[in-house]
Amino acid sequence: MECVMYEERSGRSESVECGMEEEACQPVLKRLRGLGEGEFAWVRLFDPAEAELTRLAEELGLHPLAVEDAVQAQQRPKRERFGDVLAVALKTLWYVDAEMSVETGELMVFVGPRYVLTVRHGPADPATEAARRFEADPDMLRFGPLSVLHAVLDVVVDAYTDAADKVRAALTKLEDRVFSTSRVDHTEQIYSLKREVREFRDAVQPLVPVLQSILTGPGRDGQGHPPKVLPYFRDVADHLNRTDTEVRSLDELLNSVLDAQQARVGTWQNDDMRRISAWAAIFAIPTMVAGVYGMNFEHMPELGWSYGYPLALGLMALASGLLYRAFRRNGWL
């Protein structure tokens, strides 16, 4: 558990030491009870136990269903409101170049009147970058707990954009290999990357309406969020929409690359069948001539002629050579 107290106007922060034991949480709970005017707390949890989160939820007045969602960590991106608490679930995401894979985690953000609680599952921690941005620009804290929600969403969407760029680069390399002169079947790699892009879409696409609902939904006062904070969320929504469009185009482009790979495999197979057919036709003539003279009838032309054997070999070689030349000229060999 990590806990930081912020003062909205000055941007000053104060870290509260805490640990996993029940006694170690008492300073945090005590400090939460003593929050003054213009102060709010940001509590950060990583893979918490249910008992730990339940104890904190009782102090913050969180709904039991919100606690259940945060512990199970199997939620699609969504936005819900429990009284005066706004709950936002979203996916953290990063791209692993070595494995050409998209990895995901989960983050639950609870925004209350005087606090923000983030529950993280997975190694990606957007809270670290968001806190660094607050240190660099304390003026970002003037919107109170909503400032944390905006900063976390901004960091997560920036990670989406970075991952989309890396997936695009991986797809470009895969395209170059598909259309190269080498006869290597890349179907498995294409399908694997397509599966990762599908996981990417499952993280990005449901978050689009979530951000739209934050822009249009009611705030703590039931009348909507402060107008001055909306442009910041709108900027994040614009970045998310661009990333969503990019991921959709990547998915469609992968379909085209997969079709192109299948077409090339079909072309290779046709080439192989033409070569086999051409060689079969070339060897069919010697086989036919040899078969005729191998019937061993008593009265057959040229059987008693001294030049019959070399004539038969020459005929087979000439016919085979002419067929080879014809097939070679037409690109069958």
Side-chain angles (χ1 to χ4, degrees):
M1 178 190 294
E2 299 177 59
C3 183
V4 182
M5 307 295 173
Y6 290 101
E7 189 174 290
E8 296 178 13
R9 293 185 178 179
S10 65
R12 288 183 300 180
S13 62
E14 174 192 352
S15 297
V16 179
E17 294 184 2
C18 51
M20 300 298 294
E21 299 80 7
E22 184 174 356
E23 296 76 8
C25 291
Q26 295 306 316
V28 175
L29 301 179
K30 182 178 179 180
R31 189 67 178 85
L32 287 172
R33 299 186 192 106
L35 285 173
E37 185 67 26
E39 291 184 328
F40 70 92
W42 183 5
V43 182
R44 302 194 286 260
L45 299 177
F46 172 56
D47 281 337
E50 185 173 1
E52 178 189 10
L53 186 56
T54 301
R55 187 167 61 251
L56 188 60
E58 292 174 355
E59 183 67 28
L60 299 177
L62 292 180
H63 195 280
L65 291 177
V67 176
E68 181 181 350
D69 288 346
V71 172
Q72 290 181 352
Q74 297 293 330
Q75 306 299 317
R76 282 172 58 86
K78 63 179 182 178
R79 170 191 178 273
E80 290 185 327
R81 181 166 287 279
F82 300 95
D84 59 355
V85 178
L86 174 65
V88 178
L90 60 151
K91 297 284 188 181
T92 56
L93 185 145
W94 64 99
Y95 181 76
V96 181
D97 290 293
E99 302 175 2
M100 292 181 62
S101 65
V102 173
E103 302 293 336
T104 59
E106 187 169 319
L107 185 70
M108 288 287 297
V109 184
F110 300 97
V111 182
R114 304 286 294 279
Y115 70 86
V116 178
L117 171 64
T118 54
V119 182
R120 173 172 61 96
H121 299 273
D125 185 11
T128 302
E129 173 61 19
R132 188 198 64 77
R133 295 183 183 183
F134 288 149
E135 293 177 2
D137 185 11
D139 190 52
M140 294 175 61
L141 293 165
R142 66 186 181 278
F143 299 116
L146 283 176
S147 301
V148 176
L149 177 61
H150 165 263
V152 169
L153 285 170
D154 196 26
V155 172
V156 169
V157 172
D158 286 347
Y160 289 170
T161 303
D162 180 65
D165 292 339
K166 292 180 178 179
V167 172
R168 168 71 70 173
L171 177 54
T172 300
K173 293 179 181 178
L174 195 54
E175 279 183 303
D176 293 339
R177 291 198 292 267
V178 167
F179 292 103
S180 66
T181 56
S182 63
R183 297 184 59 172
V184 179
D185 189 358
H186 299 286
T187 302
E188 184 176 354
Q189 289 177 291
I190 297 172
Y191 188 79
S192 177
L193 187 58
K194 183 174 175 60
R195 185 173 60 246
E196 300 303 319
V197 170
R198 178 64 61 178
E199 186 175 0
F200 202 156
R201 285 190 64 178
D202 289 342
V204 175
Q205 193 171 350
L207 189 59
V208 174
V210 170
L211 268 174
Q212 291 300 323
S213 67
I214 292 176
L215 289 170
T216 58
R220 294 196 305 268
D221 57 0
Q223 303 299 321
H225 297 300
K228 291 184 178 180
V229 77
L230 295 182
Y232 295 92
F233 283 101
R234 193 175 296 115
D235 179 68
V236 177
D238 290 341
H239 293 172
L240 181 64
N241 286 329
R242 287 200 300 268
T243 303
D244 181 47
T245 302
E246 172 71 2
V247 173
R248 290 173 185 267
S249 68
L250 288 172
D251 193 25
E252 294 173 359
L253 187 55
L254 275 167
N255 288 333
S256 300
V257 174
L258 183 59
D259 291 340
Q261 178 66 72
Q262 295 302 315
R264 284 181 63 83
V265 170
T267 301
W268 297 338
Q269 292 174 344
N270 289 336
D271 289 342
D272 292 339
M273 289 303 300
R274 285 194 303 178
R275 289 188 178 93
I276 294 171
S277 300
W279 284 111
I282 291 172
F283 284 107
I285 291 179
T287 303
M288 181 188 67
V289 175
V292 170
Y293 281 91
M295 290 187 289
N296 296 323
F297 289 113
E298 182 177 354
H299 300 287
M300 292 185 68
E302 291 86 27
L303 283 181
W305 185 32
S306 60
Y307 296 105
Y309 181 69
L311 177 63
L313 293 179
L315 178 62
M316 288 188 285
L318 178 62
S320 298
L322 291 175
L323 280 178
Y324 178 84
R325 181 182 179 184
F327 288 135
R328 188 77 174 181
R329 179 180 298 176
N330 292 329
W332 282 47
L333 293 174

